[in-house]
Amino acid sequence: MEEENSPQFNVENFLLLLCPEAIEEFTIEAELDLPNQRIIKTDSERTRSKILTNEEKTNLEILLTKFCKEEKTSYKQGMNEIMAPFLILHRQGIPLYMVYTYFKKFVNWFLPTMFVDKSFRPLQGFFVIFKLLLRYHEPWISNFFQTNSISPEFFATSWFLTAFAGKISNFEIIYKVWEEMIVENDRLFPCYVGIAFLIHFKAQIMVNKDNIIQQSISQIMLENNEDYEKIIQIAKKLKNNMPFSIRQKLASIDIFNLETINSTLDVLSNQYCLTATPRDVLEVIFPEKKTCSCAEFQCVCKEETYKTPILLLDCRPKAQQKHGIFPNSASIDTKIYEDEEILNEIPDNYVELRGIYHIFLLGDKEFQGSGFEMEHGASISNDQCQIMMENLLEIFISKGFPHVSIIEGGFKECHNLCMKYSLKIDNHKNSNCPYCIYTRSPSKIREKIKKIKKAVRNKAHFLSTAVKTIKNSFAASGDDTNKRRTIAIEQNSQKWDEIRYFSCKNYDKSTKSFSEEIFSFLVARDELILFKNSERKSERNVQTRIKITDLIRVTSKTKQKNRVTFFFVKDKQPLRLVISNENTPNECVELIMKYISLIGNDARCNN
C-alpha cells in the first residue's frame, strides 16, 4: 500500500465548503443485492487497487450500493472514482457516514443527473460546450482535432464523468481541483480545466503521430502541484477572457435538466461558434453611455464588461451600410462578394491583432448557423451576407484566430438597442432606415401587413378571372394555337394552387437516427405541414404546421442529399427530414423557393 497517497494537507476548508451544516450520525449499511452487484464489486476491487486496503474496497462497495439504492439509480462507472478520494479521508478520522455525505453532496452539486440518465445526455452537453469553447480559445487545436476526426468522447469522458478524479493520481490535487470548482460555483468549469489541460500539455501531445494523439491525451496524468497551479491559472484566465454575455449564457445553460436537455443539445449543436450580444459591442463603442436596464445602484454590467480590445468587422454589403455605420468599426472590402480570393485574404490584414483583439463579425440580421461542422447549405432568401459571413468565419478559424464571434441579431438588433438608449449611429437617417419601422405606430404596421396579405389574394383572383375570360374568347375562335395558349395560361395560374406531398422520415440529430414511421411532408402555397401517413383521414395526425414565410434557411448534407434541415424563425425548432428519393429534395426546395418568390413579388407590386 502507498501511504504517501493519503492526504497530507488540511482538507477542512474544502469539506466545510462542501457541507457547512452539521449532519446527524446514521448507520452505513446496505444489502449487496443489486442486479449489477458483480460489476460494483469488480470496480471496487480495481479502484486505486495499490492504495486502498481490502477493508476499504469492501466499504467502497457498500457505499456505492447504498447511494444507488437511495438515489434509485443504476450503478455506472465513474461513481467509484469520485467516491475513492472521499473514502480515503476515513484514514484521517472522518466517519463513514460523513464520507458518504460528502460524496453525495458533491455529486448532487456538480453532477446531479450525470449518473441518472441512461444515455448520459449531460455528458454530451459537456462535449458540445467543450468543443465550442475550444474553438473560441484554441482554434489551432480545434482545427487539428476536426481534421483528424478526434472527438472529445475519445479522451475527455473520464474528465467530465469523474470531475478529473480519474486523471489525477494525487488525492491532494483532487481536493484542490474540487475546491476550485466549489469556489467558482460553475458546473461547466471542468470544460475550462480541460482546455487548460490541453494547452499545458500541448507540446507533449503534439510530438505523437496523428493516429495516436487521442490515446496519448488519455494517458496523461496530472501528478504534481506545479502542473496543477498552471492549469488552474490558465482555466480561470480562459473563463474571464470572454464577453460578459457569453459568460452569462454559459452560466444559464443547465445540461443536467433532463426535461430540457434535448432542446439544449439541439440549440448548442447548431452553433458554429460562441455568439456575443449587441450590448457587448455597444459597451465598448459607447463606454460613457448606459446600455442596460439595471438600476444605477445595482448595475454591475460596466464592472463585468471584459477589458480585452475588440475589432468590429462590418460584413454588410454597401447597400446595407447606407442605413448607418457604428463608430470605430471596420468595413470589409465589398469585393469579397464577387471574388473568393479577396475573401481568403481578409484575415491576413489583421494577423497582427490575432490573439490580442476579440473579433466580432457584424451582419445585417440574425445569423443562422448550420451546425458545428458547418453543413453545406443554401440560403432560402439568397442572403449573400449570411453566406459570406459563414465563409469568412470559417477562414478566420482555419487561420488560427481565437476569440472570433458573431453578433446576435446583427445590425438590426444593435440598431434597436442604440435607438432605445439614444446612441448615435454614423450616417443614420430615420427616413430611409428599414429598421426604424419599429418606431412607427402599431396601427401602421398592421396596415402594412394587411396590404401584403391582400396582394396575395388579389393576385390569385386576378389570374383565375383572366384565365376564364381568355379561355372563353379563344374557345369561340376554334384556333388550335389559341387552345395551346389557353392551356399555358391555365398552367401558369395554377402555380399558386400546386400542392406536393413528399414521403419522408423524421431525423433525430442527437441520436443520429431516423424514425421508423413514414410521414408525409406537404408543401402548399402558404404553409408546410408534416403529418403521419394513414389510410384513414381521421388518423392523419398533424405533427408540424408552419407558415412558409417563417422559413429562413434550408441545409442539406453533401454526401446525404436526401437529409434536409429546415430552419425557421428563432422561436421555432428546426425540422429535420430524410426524404425518400435523392432527387425529390431538390423539387421540394425549388417549390418552396417559388412560393417565397411569388409572395415577395406580389408584396412589392402592391406596395
Side-chain angles (χ1 to χ4, degrees):
M1 187 181 73
E2 300 176 14
E3 292 292 343
E4 65 270 21
N5 279 282
S6 298
Q8 300 297 316
F9 85 112
N10 190 346
V11 297
E12 289 183 3
N13 186 54
F14 163 61
L15 298 178
L16 188 61
L17 287 170
L18 190 58
C19 182
E21 71 275 15
I23 302 295
E24 186 177 346
E25 184 175 353
F26 56 89
T27 304
I28 294 295
E29 56 183 19
E31 291 291 331
L32 306 180
D33 56 358
L34 289 174
N36 58 349
Q37 195 66 49
R38 182 178 296 179
I39 297 175
I40 301 176
K41 182 177 179 61
T42 301
D43 281 357
S44 298
E45 290 175 349
R46 69 175 179 79
T47 302
R48 309 276 176 170
S49 58
K50 295 181 180 180
I51 299 173
L52 299 183
T53 64
N54 289 333
E55 182 182 356
E56 288 170 332
K57 292 175 182 177
T58 300
N59 285 334
L60 180 59
E61 182 183 3
I62 294 172
L63 291 168
L64 291 171
T65 304
K66 180 179 177 62
F67 177 77
C68 291
K69 287 187 173 184
E70 282 192 359
E71 297 299 310
K72 297 180 181 179
T73 184
S74 176
Y75 169 78
K76 297 179 180 65
Q77 289 182 338
M79 293 180 181
N80 55 320
E81 293 291 351
I82 299 175
M83 180 70 84
F86 290 109
L87 179 59
I88 208 73
L89 292 172
H90 189 46
R91 296 180 184 180
Q92 287 193 353
I94 304 293
L96 281 180
Y97 80 92
M98 285 306 299
V99 167
Y100 178 79
T101 299
Y102 290 134
F103 165 78
K104 188 173 180 179
K105 281 188 173 291
F106 182 83
V107 171
N108 288 339
W109 193 345
F110 288 104
L111 302 166
T113 58
M114 179 67 84
F115 302 112
V116 174
D117 190 54
K118 294 181 180 180
S119 55
F120 285 103
R121 287 174 295 171
L123 183 61
Q124 296 301 318
F126 268 120
F127 292 148
V128 175
I129 293 172
F130 175 79
K131 290 197 296 183
L132 286 169
L133 285 169
L134 184 64
R135 173 171 283 175
Y136 185 80
H137 290 292
E138 283 294 320
W140 285 125
I141 298 178
S142 177
N143 289 337
F144 179 82
F145 284 174
Q146 193 171 356
T147 302
N148 292 279
S149 300
I150 299 175
S151 174
E153 286 89 336
F154 296 130
F155 60 83
T157 298
S158 65
W159 294 357
F160 304 133
L161 204 58
T162 69
F164 284 91
K167 288 300 172 183
I168 303 175
S169 56
N170 188 314
F171 285 119
E172 178 181 339
I173 297 177
I174 293 177
Y175 302 134
K176 287 183 176 181
V177 171
W178 288 354
E179 184 173 332
E180 289 291 346
M181 290 171 60
I182 295 174
V183 172
E184 288 290 329
N185 193 25
D186 183 359
R187 288 173 175 167
L188 297 180
F189 190 64
C191 290
Y192 301 100
V193 176
I195 296 172
F197 187 91
L198 293 176
I199 294 172
H200 181 68
F201 291 110
K202 185 176 180 179
Q204 182 177 336
I205 294 169
M206 293 305 179
V207 295
N208 296 282
K209 294 181 180 179
D210 294 354
N211 60 343
I212 61 169
I213 289 289
Q214 59 196 36
Q215 181 182 349
S216 66
I217 298 174
S218 301
Q219 293 173 347
I220 296 175
M221 300 289 288
L222 180 54
E223 297 179 320
N224 59 68
N225 278 294
E226 184 181 354
D227 288 335
Y228 155 76
E229 296 288 350
K230 291 180 179 178
I231 287 173
I232 291 298
Q233 185 180 5
I234 295 171
K236 289 182 176 180
K237 184 178 179 181
L238 292 172
K239 181 180 175 180
N240 293 327
N241 190 23
M242 288 194 299
F244 180 51
S245 65
I246 292 182
R247 282 185 280 136
Q248 274 190 319
K249 281 183 290 185
L250 289 173
S252 68
I253 295 174
D254 187 0
I255 59 175
F256 296 102
N257 186 332
L258 299 184
E259 293 183 359
T260 60
I261 183 60
N262 287 338
S263 59
T264 299
L265 288 174
D266 197 44
V267 170
L268 291 173
S269 298
N270 283 323
Q271 291 188 14
Y272 183 68
C273 68
L274 297 173
T275 55
T277 64
R279 195 183 70 80
D280 286 309
V281 178
L282 302 187
E283 283 281 2
V284 179
I285 295 177
F286 305 102
E288 74 288 352
K289 301 289 186 179
K290 182 174 174 58
T291 56
C292 64
S293 301
C294 304
E296 289 291 347
F297 64 92
Q298 293 178 330
C299 182
V300 294
C301 297
K302 290 287 184 182
E303 299 174 11
E304 291 290 341
T305 302
Y306 68 116
K307 304 302 180 183
T308 305
I310 72 163
L311 171 67
L312 179 61
L313 272 184
D314 193 334
C315 303
R316 296 174 298 153
K318 278 186 178 180
Q320 294 175 356
Q321 289 182 10
K322 290 179 181 179
H323 303 146
I325 298 175
F326 291 111
N328 303 316
S329 63
S331 299
I332 59 172
D333 188 345
T334 53
K335 291 181 181 178
I336 62 173
Y337 286 96
E338 303 169 359
D339 192 333
E340 190 174 338
E341 289 186 8
I342 297 177
L343 177 64
N344 289 326
E345 294 171 357
I346 291 293
D348 299 336
N349 299 328
Y350 305 101
V351 69
E352 293 181 357
L353 306 181
R354 184 167 55 195
I356 302 173
Y357 278 66
H358 286 248
I359 299 174
F360 291 160
L361 304 185
L362 179 72
D364 186 50
K365 50 192 175 183
E366 187 67 53
F367 177 81
Q368 297 291 331
S370 54
F372 187 84
E373 305 296 337
M374 193 66 87
E375 291 182 3
H376 174 73
S379 173
I380 281 293
S381 59
N382 294 322
D383 191 338
Q384 289 182 315
C385 185
Q386 163 81 22
I387 298 170
M388 187 280 297
M389 283 180 67
E390 280 192 359
N391 295 332
L392 183 59
L393 182 62
E394 190 172 13
I395 294 168
F396 266 111
I397 298 296
S398 66
K399 294 194 175 185
F401 277 78
H403 312 143
V404 182
S405 299
I406 297 257
I407 300 300
E408 296 175 0
F411 177 83
K412 176 183 176 181
E413 293 304 320
C414 290
H415 164 279
N416 293 343
L417 198 60
C418 284
M419 296 300 102
K420 179 178 180 180
Y421 293 107
S422 302
L423 304 176
K424 184 180 179 182
I425 304 175
D426 293 343
N427 301 328
H428 177 257
K429 295 180 181 179
N430 290 8
S431 58
N432 61 5
C433 175
Y435 302 124
C436 282
I437 187 174
Y438 294 103
T439 63
R440 301 173 190 170
S441 64
S443 60
K444 289 186 177 180
I445 297 174
R446 287 194 294 269
E447 185 180 345
K448 186 76 172 178
I449 294 172
K450 286 181 179 179
K451 285 184 178 181
I452 294 174
K453 290 182 177 179
K454 187 177 180 181
V456 174
R457 291 194 299 268
N458 288 347
K459 184 72 172 181
H461 178 72
F462 171 79
L463 287 173
S464 177
T465 304
V467 166
K468 288 179 181 179
T469 302
I470 297 172
K471 184 177 180 181
N472 292 337
S473 174
F474 286 168
S477 68
D479 192 341
D480 287 342
T481 303
N482 288 337
K483 288 181 181 179
R484 288 196 297 272
R485 289 175 181 172
T486 303
I487 294 171
I489 293 173
E490 283 182 323
Q491 290 174 342
N492 187 50
S493 68
Q494 289 169 358
K495 66 184 178 181
W496 274 104
D497 300 316
E498 183 179 357
I499 295 177
R500 286 287 306 276
Y501 291 85
F502 300 92
S503 180
C504 63
K505 293 184 177 183
N506 253 328
Y507 180 75
D508 189 333
K509 189 173 182 180
S510 60
T511 61
K512 296 183 178 179
S513 61
F514 49 82
S515 62
E516 293 183 2
E517 286 186 286
I518 298 177
F519 296 84
S520 283
F521 184 53
L522 182 148
V523 178
R525 71 180 185 183
D526 57 356
E527 62 183 347
L528 306 174
I529 305 173
L530 181 71
F531 58 86
K532 288 183 180 179
N533 280 345
S534 176
E535 293 182 0
R536 299 168 130 191
K537 289 187 178 181
S538 59
E539 296 178 359
R540 294 179 184 175
N541 298 327
V542 174
Q543 305 294 302
T544 303
R545 189 169 196 152
I546 301 178
K547 291 182 179 179
I548 204 168
T549 51
D550 287 342
L551 186 61
I552 296 174
R553 178 178 174 79
V554 172
T555 65
S556 64
K557 287 284 189 181
T558 306
K559 295 181 180 179
Q560 295 172 298
K561 294 182 179 179
N562 60 333
R563 258 180 55 191
V564 183
T565 303
F566 299 86
F567 294 93
F568 304 96
V569 289
K570 60 183 178 182
D571 60 333
K572 293 183 174 64
Q573 290 295 322
L575 178 64
R576 295 184 170 85
L577 303 177
V578 178
I579 298 179
S580 58
N581 189 298
E582 284 199 0
N583 295 323
T584 310
N586 291 335
E587 299 174 9
C588 175
V589 173
E590 286 174 3
L591 182 59
I592 293 171
M593 291 183 71
K594 181 178 77 173
Y595 282 146
I596 289 177
S597 177
L598 288 170
I599 292 171
N601 288 339
D602 287 341
R604 285 192 293 271
C605 290
N606 195 65
N607 193 11

